[in-house]
């Protein structure tokens, strides 16, 4: 979806996680406000926005204040399955990042926001000193596949520094606030450099 074609008002799904562009997000949806949201998105073929919670819980608690990050990522529906009455299993793909310029909570608890879209990362080759991160990610994917785990959508793009950094950010044990800051970084090479430093500090990559 191009920036010019993207809606400037998005319904929001605040989560205790960070969605990255081209990332895979699986959701178990059971609250009425979000069941309605997914139904509307299916009928109208439109996305919604995912933002990380700063304060509050994913499940609505009456009177509880809610605060979320002002940079999020569009979620595009891939699959919706209704295996049980009143529960949807949803798989989404991360799209473009956006900045929230204003938000409003509907009477049913659903948040909507006015947004401005952020240009996608430019495709940049990882520099020679960061090739270890690409090889390490390829090895990690092979290990996960042997365990019947597939956390990433294909095609894999090991020639793209931003894609490599984003996929590492999704699986590394880093705090939510740090993951958010990495997602927000406008320079994909800087993002990958920070990820590479973390991998080497933790001994995941060796010189």
């Amino acid at each position: 979806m191009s920036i010019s074609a993207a809606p400037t008002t998005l319904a929001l799904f605040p989560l205790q996680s960070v969605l990255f562009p081209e990332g895979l997000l699986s959701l178990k949806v059971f609250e009425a406000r979000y069941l309605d949201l997914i139904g509307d998105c299916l009928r109208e073929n439109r996305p919604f926005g995912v933002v990380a919670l700063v304060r509050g819980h994913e499940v609505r608690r009456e009177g509880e204040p809610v605060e979320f990050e002002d940079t999020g990522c569009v979620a595009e529906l891939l699959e919706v399955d209704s295996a049980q009455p009143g529960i949807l299993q949803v798989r989404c793909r991360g799209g473009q990042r956006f900045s929230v310029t204003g938000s409003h909570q509907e009477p049913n608890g659903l948040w909507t926001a006015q947004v401005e879209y952020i240009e996608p990362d430019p495709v940049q080759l990882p520099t020679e000193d960061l090739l270890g991160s690409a090889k390490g990610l390829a090895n990690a994917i092979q290990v996960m596949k042997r365990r019947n785990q597939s956390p990433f959508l294909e095609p894999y793009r090991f020639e793209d520094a931003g894609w490599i950094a984003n996929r590492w950010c999704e699986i590394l044990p880093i705090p939510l606030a740090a993951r958010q800051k990495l997602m927000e970084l406008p320079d994909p090479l800087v993002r990958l450099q920070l990820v590479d430093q973390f991998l080497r500090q933790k001994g995941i990559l060796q010189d």
Side-chain angles (χ1 to χ4, degrees):
M1 179 181 296
S2 68
I3 286 179
S4 60
T8 54
T9 300
L10 284 175
L12 297 183
F13 208 129
L15 296 171
Q16 290 171 331
S17 61
V18 176
L19 179 61
F20 284 78
E22 298 181 70
L24 176 62
L25 175 67
S26 297
L27 295 170
K28 183 178 181 179
V29 180
F30 54 88
E31 285 192 82
R33 55 178 170 166
Y34 294 132
L35 291 171
D36 291 344
L37 167 62
I38 298 302
D40 290 343
C41 289
L42 276 173
R43 281 191 301 273
E44 300 171 19
N45 191 28
R46 61 180 171 87
F48 57 94
V50 171
V51 286
L53 279 164
V54 176
R55 186 182 183 193
H57 294 80
E58 293 179 351
V59 178
R60 188 181 186 188
R61 299 182 180 183
E62 198 64 40
E64 178 186 62
V66 172
E67 182 182 352
F68 44 79
E69 297 283 358
D70 58 11
T71 301
C73 187
V74 167
E76 301 166 355
L77 290 175
L78 295 176
E79 299 173 16
V80 178
D81 181 33
S82 180
Q84 304 174 54
I87 297 177
L88 295 178
Q89 299 287 346
V90 179
R91 278 165 48 96
C92 309
R93 174 178 52 222
Q96 285 174 272
R97 292 170 297 172
F98 59 82
S99 295
V100 174
T101 59
S103 60
H104 169 74
Q105 191 171 29
E106 303 291 342
N108 66 353
L110 184 70
W111 286 92
T112 60
Q114 294 75 50
V115 301
E116 292 181 353
Y117 290 91
I118 299 169
E119 289 289 345
D121 284 338
V123 176
Q124 292 182 268
L125 289 170
T127 53
E128 187 173 350
D129 59 318
L130 298 175
L131 290 177
S133 295
K135 294 175 182 176
L137 182 61
N139 292 337
I141 288 172
Q142 292 306 312
V143 170
M144 288 185 285
K145 282 189 171 181
R146 288 196 291 270
R147 297 173 180 169
N148 293 319
Q149 299 172 350
S150 301
F152 307 136
L153 293 167
E154 297 188 31
Y156 303 145
R157 304 214 329 262
F158 297 110
E159 75 288 350
D160 184 343
W163 185 90
I164 297 164
N166 290 350
R167 303 294 76 80
W168 271 123
C169 288
E170 291 166 346
I171 60 173
L172 286 174
I174 54 179
L176 183 66
R179 192 174 277 118
Q180 174 73 23
K181 294 302 181 188
L182 286 163
M183 186 270 284
E184 293 177 6
L185 281 174
D187 189 327
L189 274 177
V190 171
R191 193 182 312 133
L192 185 55
Q193 286 166 357
L194 292 172
V195 168
D196 186 85
Q197 289 172 14
F198 181 88
L199 293 168
R200 294 185 187 282
Q201 289 168 1
K202 298 298 182 182
I204 299 170
L205 294 181
Q206 305 291 335
D207 290 325

